[in-house]
Amino acid sequence: MKSIVILISGRGSNMRSIVEAGMPARIAAVISNQPSAGGLAYAAERGITTAVVDHKAFDSRAAFDEALAAEIDRFTPDLVVLAGFMRVLGEGFVRRYANRLLNIHPSLLPSFQGLHTHRRALEAGVKVHGCTVHFVTPALDHGPIVIQAAVPVLPGDDEDRLAARVLAEEHRIYPRAVQWFIEGRLDRKSTRL
């Protein structure tokens, strides 16, 4: 059975969608960089091991990345899933988990990389917005795309309404991408770092 470690920073709604999908994999741990992350309580209530590697306790990104990797490696995961994990990870960390590190981003990549995607989509006047699951590479939000989902941008939308529709699609497609990984249906050899 494949083993998964999920990284979160907040409420963990994408982590929940993966846990509740009931796929044939073991969620070995949920790890957060935020001690107060709401998703930790959810995971613990379901008997999933939780851990915190607080990024504020480290004086450099490299030191944090190394400590985070050491915690992840305790669980020997086949897959590491970034589910609302709000830290940029360094090149060494990304290479360590090459071809087995997935992220979900709230835009239709390559559009609107980085933060504030819903606001930027509204400001740009796009008619379609969405989300993307991709393999992580050292270039931020540039990894090979696994799956995307689109939602219409409706008249009168604000950031919150648009974000809610996008989040519903994230919860639908992220478990699907993880399932594909578990089933060996993703061509990970095509991911070049």
Side-chain angles (χ1 to χ4, degrees):
M1 180 178 285
K2 299 271 192 216
S3 174
I4 301 170
V5 167
I6 303 175
L7 305 184
I8 64 170
S9 290
R11 68 183 185 264
S13 69
N14 273 305
M15 175 265 300
R16 290 178 190 205
S17 71
I18 292 166
V19 169
E20 292 171 5
M23 58 191 75
R26 183 174 67 89
I27 309 298
V30 172
I31 302 171
S32 181
N33 65 308
Q34 296 284 352
S36 61
L40 292 171
Y42 170 90
E45 288 167 5
R46 277 142 191 85
I48 301 168
T49 299
T50 63
V52 174
V53 181
D54 187 348
H55 65 276
K56 293 176 186 168
F58 300 90
D59 59 4
S60 71
R61 178 182 295 167
F64 168 71
D65 284 359
E66 191 57 39
L68 180 60
E71 187 63 28
I72 291 168
D73 289 348
R74 288 187 333 112
F75 302 98
T76 60
D78 298 290
L79 178 64
V80 178
V81 175
L82 307 180
F85 187 71
M86 300 303 293
R87 298 297 300 171
V88 174
L89 297 164
E91 184 173 345
F93 182 96
V94 171
R95 290 187 186 283
R96 184 179 195 140
Y97 300 103
N99 301 317
R100 57 190 182 112
L101 183 59
L102 287 178
N103 184 46
I104 190 151
H105 183 74
S107 79
L108 294 171
L109 292 174
S111 298
F112 308 115
Q113 300 157 358
L115 299 175
H116 311 296
T117 61
H118 310 305
R119 178 187 325 146
R120 291 164 50 213
L122 291 168
E123 289 170 352
V126 299
K127 302 298 180 197
V128 177
H129 188 44
C131 52
T132 304
V133 177
H134 64 97
F135 280 104
V136 178
T137 61
L140 183 66
D141 298 331
H142 277 83
I145 292 170
V146 174
I147 187 172
Q148 293 181 304
V151 300
V153 178
L154 303 174
D157 264 348
D158 62 15
E159 284 183 66
D160 291 337
R161 282 191 292 268
L162 182 56
R165 280 200 311 284
V166 170
L167 187 60
E169 290 301 306
E170 290 181 29
H171 294 166
R172 185 178 67 80
I173 69 169
Y174 213 178
R176 184 177 298 174
V178 171
Q179 179 77 36
W180 289 343
F181 183 96
I182 290 166
E183 293 171 350
R185 295 174 57 191
L186 299 180
D187 180 11
R188 294 179 290 151
K189 292 184 175 93
S190 65
T191 306
R192 305 281 183 245
L193 296 183

